Amino acid sequence: MAENGPLHAPDGSTWLPSPEFRDKWWNRRPERWAERDRRNVPGPFYGAGTDTCWMDRLIAPAHVLYDDEWGAEFVHRQPGGPEQALVLLGAVAQDPMVRYACDGDEHWTPELVRDWWAERARVREWAAALDRAWCASNREDERETAGGGRAYVAYIDAGLEEYLRHYLFWLSEGRPADSGAPLPHL
């Protein structure tokens, strides 16, 4: 757990939040996992009923997206290393509802990841619709978020499958895949 020490990332790196963030962004509740947004990409971080202040994309636009119903936040791209994890933690620390978690590795199973992947068309269509609806908005923040929807579609189309195959290896083996190691299929 990150609040007690380094968190090991699937790529073999580790990260540890700065002491000033400890106990401010992490709020362990057993029901958090069940409340997660279905659009969270599988991985350690996820949002579950976060605030609707639209702050986190200002800090971590490559990782956070807002839903179009309430403006709640979720993680559409997991961090790819310690620097990205710290950027995401900076955004997470802004959530006054304390509704993010980083215990996804304790909950995701290879079967759940494969189920999520099998339903990706639903998430992709939502992100594409968000882009279409908000790209011509009069509101600058909605136009910026439309770009996030576009980025999410692009990631689903190219890059996410490879990440998830590495994540499946991580979940199954408890370590990053060695270079050239065969990765599980989705």
Side-chain angles (χ1 to χ4, degrees):
M1 292 301 157
E3 72 273 19
N4 295 327
L7 180 68
H8 299 278
D11 68 357
S13 61
T14 60
W15 61 268
L16 181 65
S18 299
E20 67 264 21
F21 291 122
R22 290 206 189 124
D23 299 323
K24 294 186 172 83
W25 62 273
W26 180 258
N27 189 0
R28 183 179 284 281
R29 292 184 185 153
E31 73 276 7
R32 180 70 35 84
W33 175 253
E35 297 171 354
R36 76 191 180 285
D37 190 294
R38 67 176 172 80
R39 293 165 286 210
N40 284 290
V41 165
F45 291 97
Y46 59 94
T50 64
D51 72 356
T52 58
C53 299
W54 284 43
M55 292 294 298
D56 291 357
R57 280 191 58 77
L58 299 175
I59 299 164
H63 304 286
V64 176
L65 198 51
Y66 310 128
D67 77 33
D68 54 343
E69 186 176 357
W70 302 101
E73 302 155 351
F74 62 92
V75 178
H76 72 93
R77 189 177 196 133
Q78 295 289 331
E83 297 82 16
Q84 291 180 16
L86 290 173
V87 168
L88 180 56
L89 280 176
V92 165
Q94 303 303 310
D95 181 28
M97 304 296 288
V98 193
R99 300 293 301 198
Y100 280 94
C102 74
D103 63 349
D105 291 353
E106 295 175 18
H107 301 285
W108 285 106
T109 64
E111 295 77 24
L112 287 175
V113 172
R114 287 182 176 105
D115 290 348
W116 188 95
W117 181 249
E119 294 292 320
R120 73 190 177 280
R122 185 173 156 211
V123 174
R124 187 190 186 285
E125 179 49 39
W126 170 84
L130 178 85
D131 178 31
R132 286 189 302 271
W134 284 355
C135 70
S137 172
N138 292 330
R139 292 180 44 188
E140 183 179 340
D141 56 352
E142 286 184 352
R143 288 191 310 274
E144 189 282 328
T145 299
R150 205 169 316 121
Y152 197 9
V153 168
Y155 186 46
I156 290 169
D157 291 347
L160 181 55
E161 180 178 7
E162 182 74 10
Y163 160 78
L164 289 176
R165 291 181 70 207
H166 278 273
Y167 190 57
L168 283 175
F169 188 95
W170 171 258
L171 290 174
S172 299
E173 303 294 327
R175 64 179 177 83
D178 295 328
S179 179
L183 296 173
H185 292 285
L186 283 170

